[in-house]
Amino acid sequence: MTMEKRTPAFEYAPAPESRAVVDIAPSYGLFIDGEFTEAADGKVFKTVSPSTEEVLSEVAEAGEADVDRAVKAARKAFEKWSALPGAERAKYLFRIARIIQERSRELAVLETLDNGKPIRETRDADLPLVAAHFFYYAGWADKLDHAGYGANPRPLGVAGQVIPWNFPLLMLAWKIAPALATGNTVVLKPAETTPLSALFFADICRQAGLPRGVVNIVTGDGRAGAALIAHPDVNKVAFTGSTAVGKEIARTVAGTRKKVTLELGGKGANIVFDDAPIDQAVEGIVNGIFFNQGQVCCAGSRLLVQESIHDELLDSLKRRLSTLRLGDPLDKNTDIGAINSAEQLARITALADRGEAEGAERWSPACELPESGYWFAPTLFTGVTQAHTVARDEIFGPVLSVLTFRTPDEAVAKANNTPYGLSAGIWTEKGSRILAVANKLRAGVIWSNTFNKFDPTSPFGGYKESGFGREGGRHGLEAYLDV
Amino acid sequence: MPTTAPHALSDVTASGSTLRRFLHGLPGVDAVGLEARAASLGTRSIKTTAKAYAIDLAISMVDLTTLEGADTPGKVRALGAKAVHPDPTDRTTPATAAVCVYPDMVATAKQAVAGSTVKVASVATAFPAGRAPIAVKLADVREAVAAGADEIDMVIDRGAFLAGDYLKVYDEITAVKEACGTSARLKVIFETGELSTYDNIRRASWLGMLAGADFIKTSTGKVAVNATPANTLLMLEAVRDFRAQTGVQVGVKPAGGIRTTKDAIKFLVLVNETAGEDWLDNHWFRFGASSLLNDLLMQRQKLATGRYSGPDYVTVD
Amino acid sequence: MSDRLNVLKTYKLYVGGKFPRSESGRVYEVTDAKKNWLANAPLSSRKDARDAVVAARKAFGGWAGATAYNRGQILYRVAEMLEGRRDQYVREVAEAEGLSKSKAGDQVDAAIDRWVWYAGWTDKIAQVVGGGNPVAGPFFNLSSPEPTGVVAVLAPQESSFLGLVSVVAPVIATGNTAVVVASEKSPLPALSLGEVLATSDLPGGVVNILSGRTAEIAAPLAAHQDVNAIDLAGADEALAKELEIAAADNLKRVLRPQPVDNWAATPGTDRMTAFLETKTVWHPTGSLGASGSAY
């Protein structure tokens, strides 16, 4: 399975991005009402770098009392914030967007350290999208009359937002930008393994002169998130994370007047037809499942390849995988970084073992895993069918399950045969096939001859158990308006 | 016309229509995806030891070129001297792969590089436009070969290609290959800027390889759009797939528009991560360039001394 | 309290990203509300207008082809640059229109905010005026707005800066390029705007600013076969009719003059949609296969 790797002729020397650009303090408090403060009971927790297991910082752990204080601060700030002319709110958000751009390098290094993903991704994908999201929604703040929700649509009030660890700052942008643009104030709880970029964002709010209480960051674990969502004075709940927790939240808000949007898991089907542009399809498959180490809700984690080209495509795919570079996330040439936590690594490992146990054939390119940190080699399972666990359960790691189909009808049936419905990919040179298949796929985001493309103007969200509500675009405003 | 197609694909070139069906049946190219892959590989960070390796490799891959109406024996002698000893201040600098000149300059070029490893490549077949009767084009080739050219850089008939007469293009290449005999390797120039689409470049690549090209080459350097990372990436995919299907290895030469060391290194990364390290050798990969060499030399000097260099420290020719 | 003599600005046109004088070599006197001499402004000729159209056409492909996001960034940058020079423009507007410093300040603030307003429209207008159309057949049908091309803009005669910005920004936000004819009696703030545009990463030729006799330069622009649209805001009734007749020769899109009480009021979208074409594309969606689909 893993082959001896001889010394390559063209060996890329280490090309580390410098850590010096970011200054991580030994500890951080909660950001409530414009100030950093300790948790009421003084509790703290550590956040580590998943690639080395070194402790990066010690962060305050919010309890119920802290969540309550944050919601109160947001409520107090709401009156003035929502009364500001949209054009003024817009200018705050434009300031934030510009400062994010200025500090992009610093934030990219920080995100790579706290999350484990390669610097090339934080630098070229995450950070540009973060800035773009703030730019886009800044422009809506004074144009809500034109958004298609009637004249003068009003905000909801205080939004409680809980985000995951896979794209910490980007998920923060997806939540905070539209909420603020429409006149709401927020309390946001970042994931417990990736609190730092949200805390740096708080500093950016300070630099932008954002009024106190408009944005509050409460760091902590699942209990702080639950407290926030259940808080009676929160008008709007927004959650991105696992389907299991999403269902819990839906139960929690039942019977209340809280508006809720959920962006949950997926088991995206990447469908490759026999007339696909093969070299680009291979890139799309690789991007679909190995971008961000596969820790993406919309990952193309199922490859559905037309049976007639299965062998040829797999040969090309395996050849391509042997050029993937796994290692230090701060090295600019790294393609595959660390898994975010020991828990996640254990989950991926268990599911991959299950894949083997159920009879699928497992393959990885030759890959040296570093001694410390949480690492998983890119992995393919071929001979997978719908009944396999690795075809149904979201693994949230760099593991691709390969299934085959005979006809377009069958591809659609298999792609749709899942409780999830977040994303899908279609690879074919034939335009009418793209449109016919896209019409039939029950998924909220469909990529044709591309994958994992995001833009603040483009609505994102799922069907079925992948959640409901859309983020991005004009559609993304609805979640934060009283309409 | 003798069929030079390798055994595995010899039926493809049996006629104009089998050739057309084969070429039109090749997988399509998604332009956005291709360009994105090329751009992504362009973000590889090649520093220190890797950079030193790449610079020396790139120098050894340069076909140092002069193709001007104003070329004189004096100009060609200077070119040859520079190809053999690019940096008079540093004798450890590798020689370039070849010099590239018009056919009537081949004899002078041979003398200028005599005793060195530097090859003499000659353009031919009514370069750059390729618009002349076949007899004239073949005479061009024979002159160059007789004068001692080690390599012939021919242009295909783009008019015939765009009009869909693939067999005519194929026949011309095989005729030129025959005129090269055993003494000269053949590079086939597609003029990618004129072929315009990536699908056409893919088809031309396979056509050239089926006809016996030793190298496939992007461009003449005489039009607005020459070699780009994307069109070269596409050609590297073609040679990789051709060898996988037939066992025959063909080289790739991007030409024109490659001016800086940074550019050159990006191309080497493309070679490394697409066709693979078997192509990281000047027998299989070349840069058609003139001003690139001085930038490579200045970068080499910077690595050696730690100081940024300047035009006074490299020779104008 | 210094006796220092100040350096007077020589006002130039802004064409193709550069600051040329009028090719005619002519200038005319510009005075303030009290008839004091302010400056000599270029008195543009039809050849200046012709050159400006060439520059605008040359810039159109790149500007229309830029992403909406990129255009938004640049328009926001214009606002940043203008904010930095607020004092300069307050003085120029006060002198040009005979306003108090405070009133001139309101105008300039509104002009800065106007650039921010339009910066935020570049990547949204398509979502508001475009969309998929549910045709009665197996077709994918999408309508999208596209910029019309080179737009001649006669800036308002009275509101020399806020009015000017209010007619120029919506034209370029969507990807058009503009040839602007400044207010005849108060051209200086418009010519100075070129300084801000030139330092905002706006590609040369996207906006071109001419000063002179409105009727003299507007006529060749209205008749120009390579101008796609014309905004008649700065034309009086009689001139507007003449120009609309001339514009009919190549069926330019014409935006007739509308009286505006208060340029500071929030605009709608009509100044953008006036210069947008709608392209509707059909594509068959096909079916999945011969067996027919049950899904």
Side-chain angles (χ1 to χ4, degrees):
Chain A
M1 231 126 31
T2 53
M3 290 139 0
E4 203 40 63
K5 243 194 171 162
R6 56 183 181 82
T7 314
F10 189 0
E11 189 153 19
Y12 301 162
E17 180 68 56
S18 164
R19 278 175 75 146
V21 70
V22 66
D23 190 8
I24 303 178
S27 67
Y28 289 93
L30 311 170
F31 183 68
I32 297 177
D33 205 27
E35 277 170 23
F36 283 100
T37 55
E38 291 183 2
D41 60 8
K43 281 207 178 134
V44 295
F45 66 100
K46 296 188 185 352
T47 184
V48 302
S49 160
S51 60
T52 58
E53 299 177 64
E54 89 184 71
V55 173
L56 293 171
S57 186
E58 206 173 70
V59 172
E61 184 171 318
E64 277 200 42
D66 305 298
V67 169
D68 184 57
R69 193 163 67 84
V71 173
K72 286 191 161 66
R75 174 64 57 197
K76 197 172 77 175
F78 172 66
E79 202 186 312
K80 272 217 173 113
W81 180 249
S82 56
L84 272 183
E88 297 301 292
R89 279 203 305 276
K91 284 189 281 188
Y92 280 111
L93 291 168
F94 276 117
R95 282 185 180 185
I96 289 173
R98 287 302 245 186
I99 296 170
I100 288 170
Q101 284 183 321
E102 285 177 321
R103 296 178 64 173
S104 270
R105 190 168 189 163
E106 172 196 357
L107 294 167
V109 171
L110 176 70
E111 194 86 307
T112 281
L113 284 168
D114 207 15
N115 168 284
K117 64 169 90 185
I119 186 70
R120 203 189 68 214
E121 288 181 7
T122 50
R123 180 194 69 199
D124 294 347
D126 294 57
L127 263 300
L129 281 169
V130 172
H133 247 88
F134 277 99
F135 261 107
Y136 178 74
Y137 279 107
W140 271 121
D142 53 357
K143 303 175 177 65
L144 295 174
D145 285 347
H146 298 273
Y149 299 107
N152 196 24
R154 303 301 301 151
L156 292 164
V158 173
Q161 306 176 318
V162 177
I163 58 174
W165 45 260
N166 59 347
F167 294 90
L169 195 57
L170 183 58
M171 292 299 97
L172 177 153
W174 280 25
K175 298 283 181 285
I176 292 187
L180 260 46
T182 44
N184 301 280
T185 53
V186 314
V187 179
L188 181 134
K189 191 203 83 67
E192 65 191 284
T193 56
T194 54
L196 295 179
S197 51
L199 295 165
F200 273 60
F201 178 76
D203 187 52
I204 288 173
C205 291
R206 176 189 61 84
Q207 287 184 331
L210 193 69
R212 36 181 54 232
V214 173
V215 166
N216 305 274
I217 308 285
V218 291
T219 45
D221 62 13
R223 292 165 297 179
L228 179 57
I229 283 161
H231 195 292
D233 200 29
V234 160
N235 307 101
K236 156 81 191 149
V237 165
F239 173 77
T240 297
S242 71
T243 291
V245 175
K247 291 179 179 177
E248 259 313 301
I249 291 173
R251 287 188 269 269
T252 305
V253 303
T256 69
R257 298 175 60 90
K258 293 177 181 172
K259 261 185 93 156
V260 60
T261 47
L262 300 172
E263 205 273 278
L264 308 175
K267 192 73 183 179
N270 213 344
I271 307 170
V272 180
F273 287 95
D274 59 9
D275 65 346
I278 296 290
D279 291 300
Q280 286 76 52
V282 166
E283 287 309 311
I285 295 165
V286 170
N287 183 297
I289 188 56
F290 301 120
F291 173 66
N292 207 33
Q293 293 67 251
Q295 300 165 131
V296 189
C297 45
C298 53
S301 48
R302 285 184 290 157
L303 169 59
L304 262 54
V305 54
Q306 194 148 18
E307 200 169 336
S308 52
I309 58 161
H310 171 276
D311 291 349
E312 176 192 329
L313 183 70
L314 264 296
D315 283 346
S316 298
L317 183 57
K318 287 179 178 175
R319 180 186 58 209
R320 169 67 176 92
L321 294 189
S322 64
T323 66
L324 286 175
R325 304 170 63 86
L326 180 151
D328 178 11
L330 274 178
D331 190 307
K332 287 177 264 188
N333 292 322
T334 292
D335 299 316
I336 308 281
I339 301 301
N340 184 250
S341 65
E343 288 74 25
Q344 188 57 27
L345 179 58
R347 266 196 286 275
I348 298 168
T349 305
L351 280 163
D353 290 346
R354 182 87 70 85
E356 268 192 275
E358 289 180 0
E361 196 180 309
R362 181 177 183 158
W363 184 91
S364 285
C367 211
E368 209 182 296
L369 301 182
E371 295 274 300
S372 58
Y374 316 123
W375 302 92
F376 197 87
T379 299
L380 295 186
F381 279 106
T382 48
V384 177
T385 66
Q386 291 291 106
H388 283 132
T389 304
V390 293
R392 299 198 66 72
D393 286 17
E394 186 181 37
I395 300 175
F396 221 67
V399 179
L400 178 66
S401 302
V402 183
L403 300 84
T404 59
F405 66 89
R406 295 163 299 173
T407 62
D409 264 358
E410 190 169 53
V412 165
K414 289 188 173 181
N416 286 339
N417 180 220
T418 163
Y420 292 117
L422 185 51
S423 69
I426 307 171
W427 296 85
T428 167
E429 281 276 273
K430 189 163 173 158
S432 57
R433 174 168 297 147
I434 288 175
L435 296 169
V437 172
N439 260 358
K440 300 291 191 207
L441 287 173
R442 310 265 310 145
V445 183
I446 297 179
W447 287 298
S448 313
N449 291 333
T450 190
F451 210 91
N452 277 340
K453 283 270 161 270
F454 307 98
D455 192 276
T457 64
S458 182
F460 184 94
Y463 283 38
K464 308 191 281 185
E465 291 191 21
S466 292
F468 42 76
R470 293 292 176 268
E471 296 180 283
R474 186 182 61 79
H475 300 71
L477 294 166
E478 195 206 328
Y480 292 97
L481 291 171
D482 190 8
V483 294
Chain B
M1 287 289 116
T3 320
T4 50
H7 178 73
L9 291 167
S10 55
D11 53 325
V12 164
T13 54
S15 71
S17 54
T18 56
L19 185 53
R20 167 193 297 270
R21 257 178 277 139
F22 174 80
L23 295 178
H24 284 201
L26 290 168
V29 184
D30 186 271
V32 171
L34 178 74
E35 290 171 7
R37 174 65 175 153
S40 173
L41 285 170
T43 66
R44 288 294 192 217
S45 180
I46 308 299
K47 303 280 185 230
T48 63
T49 52
K51 188 169 184 178
Y53 164 83
I55 288 176
D56 276 11
L57 182 62
I59 292 172
S60 77
M61 288 172 160
V62 169
D63 279 2
L64 195 61
T65 303
T66 185
L67 294 168
E68 304 303 322
D71 286 341
T72 60
K75 168 74 177 163
V76 172
R77 276 197 290 275
L79 189 87
K82 182 150 176 129
V84 176
H85 288 122
D87 188 345
T89 72
D90 184 348
R91 292 313 224 196
T92 68
T93 310
T96 68
V99 291
C100 187
V101 295
Y102 271 108
D104 59 344
M105 290 291 153
V106 168
T108 310
K110 284 289 277 190
Q111 281 178 354
V113 303
S116 74
T117 57
V118 177
K119 307 257 188 308
V120 174
S122 173
V123 298
T125 65
F127 178 99
R131 298 241 69 83
I134 182 72
V136 169
K137 294 202 249 192
L138 290 176
D140 208 17
V141 174
R142 290 188 193 109
E143 288 285 319
V145 172
D150 303 295
E151 298 168 1
I152 296 293
D153 287 27
M154 70 168 284
V155 289
I156 62 166
D157 182 346
R158 282 88 74 192
F161 186 94
L162 291 170
D165 197 349
Y166 300 122
L167 192 60
K168 180 165 193 234
V169 178
Y170 174 85
D171 286 343
E172 283 195 6
I173 299 171
T174 57
V176 171
K177 177 86 186 195
E178 201 191 10
C180 288
T182 50
S183 52
R185 292 177 83 202
L186 176 63
K187 301 193 196 101
V188 178
I189 305 172
F190 302 136
E191 199 66 299
T192 47
E194 287 180 351
L195 295 189
S196 188
T197 69
Y198 293 121
D199 288 319
N200 276 348
I201 296 170
R202 171 163 283 174
R203 289 171 187 167
S205 299
W206 279 83
L207 178 51
M209 293 187 294
L210 286 167
D214 295 298
F215 262 83
I216 51 176
K217 178 172 165 183
T218 57
S219 31
T220 61
K222 297 299 185 186
V223 293
V225 177
N226 295 292
T228 65
N231 63 30
T232 306
L233 172 59
L234 187 56
M235 287 165 62
L236 287 164
E237 288 171 359
V239 301
R240 172 198 68 195
D241 293 344
F242 189 74
R243 187 173 76 163
Q245 274 202 36
T246 66
V248 174
Q249 184 167 352
V250 175
V252 175
K253 176 174 170 179
I258 307 168
R259 297 203 172 80
T260 65
T261 302
K262 229 181 168 120
D263 291 337
I265 292 180
K266 285 183 184 179
F267 281 94
L268 292 178
V269 168
L270 291 178
V271 176
N272 191 40
E273 300 202 32
T274 309
E277 56 185 44
D278 288 350
W279 272 262
L280 286 175
D281 180 291
N282 70 5
H283 198 70
W284 300 111
F285 195 81
R286 299 284 179 83
F287 289 107
S290 39
S291 55
L292 171 64
L293 182 56
N294 274 349
D295 196 73
L296 287 167
L297 296 175
M298 287 198 282
Q299 287 295 316
R300 192 171 191 277
Q301 288 167 356
K302 159 118 192 337
L303 274 186
T305 64
R307 298 188 305 261
Y308 290 108
S309 188
D312 286 345
Y313 299 90
V314 290
T315 63
V316 293
D317 71 357
Chain C
M1 291 285 116
S2 133
D3 294 321
R4 183 188 169 274
L5 191 67
N6 58 333
V7 177
L8 296 176
K9 176 153 71 179
T10 304
Y11 283 85
K12 311 270 214 74
L13 306 175
Y14 175 62
V15 176
K18 301 197 159 84
F19 295 89
R21 299 176 195 263
S22 166
E23 67 77 44
S24 68
R26 306 173 305 174
V27 293
Y28 70 109
E29 275 197 13
V30 177
T31 55
D32 67 14
K34 301 198 173 98
K35 305 281 189 229
N36 299 315
W37 182 90
L38 281 178
N40 296 321
L43 183 60
S44 300
S45 67
R46 63 181 168 78
K47 289 190 181 175
D48 296 312
R50 170 201 66 190
D51 292 345
V53 171
V54 168
R57 176 60 62 197
K58 189 154 164 230
F60 175 69
W63 184 241
T67 60
Y69 180 48
N70 183 246
R71 285 199 298 273
Q73 297 274 287
I74 290 174
L75 264 60
Y76 186 76
R77 184 71 171 160
V78 172
E80 286 185 354
M81 294 293 99
L82 194 49
E83 182 84 61
R85 292 167 178 249
R86 187 183 177 278
D87 289 349
Q88 171 196 347
Y89 285 90
V90 170
R91 191 180 38 80
E92 294 220 40
V93 170
E95 282 174 350
E97 298 184 24
L99 297 177
S100 68
K101 259 227 160 111
S102 151
K103 285 251 160 29
D106 291 343
Q107 297 273 305
V108 174
D109 287 342
I112 295 168
D113 286 354
R114 188 64 32 95
W115 282 107
V116 177
W117 162 262
Y118 282 110
W121 263 119
T122 61
D123 53 4
K124 297 169 183 65
I125 187 72
Q127 299 175 310
V128 168
V129 306
N133 303 307
V135 297
F139 295 93
F140 172 80
N141 182 298
L142 179 70
S143 291
S144 318
E146 287 188 0
T148 192
V150 173
V151 181
V153 181
L154 309 187
Q157 295 298 341
E158 299 304 323
S159 180
S160 68
F161 194 61
L162 177 56
L164 164 85
V165 167
S166 300
V167 299
V168 172
V171 166
I172 66 171
T174 55
N176 295 298
T177 55
V179 175
V180 183
V181 177
S183 154
E184 187 168 324
K185 70 171 167 30
S186 314
L188 304 183
L191 295 174
S192 290
L193 181 64
E195 297 165 28
V196 163
L197 299 181
T199 54
S200 298
D201 294 326
L202 187 72
V206 173
V207 175
N208 305 277
I209 304 174
L210 306 173
S211 57
R213 306 285 174 221
T214 303
E216 182 183 347
I217 357 175
L221 286 172
H224 201 305
Q225 300 290 78
D226 200 29
V227 169
N228 303 101
I230 184 161
D231 181 344
L232 298 175
D236 64 36
E237 212 179 300
L239 179 62
K241 180 169 174 179
E242 232 180 85
L243 297 175
E244 190 171 337
I245 291 172
D249 271 353
N250 68 331
L251 289 180
K252 288 179 183 60
R253 284 81 174 104
V254 174
L255 186 56
R256 293 174 176 153
Q258 315 136 38
V260 174
D261 296 319
N262 176 19
W263 283 103
T266 305
T269 53
D270 45 288
R271 284 197 163 277
M272 288 182 289
T273 56
F275 306 112
L276 289 172
E277 308 293 330
T278 300
K279 170 177 288 172
T280 301
V281 173
W282 294 65
H283 198 300
T285 63
S287 61
L288 293 181
S291 58
S293 173
Y295 305 102

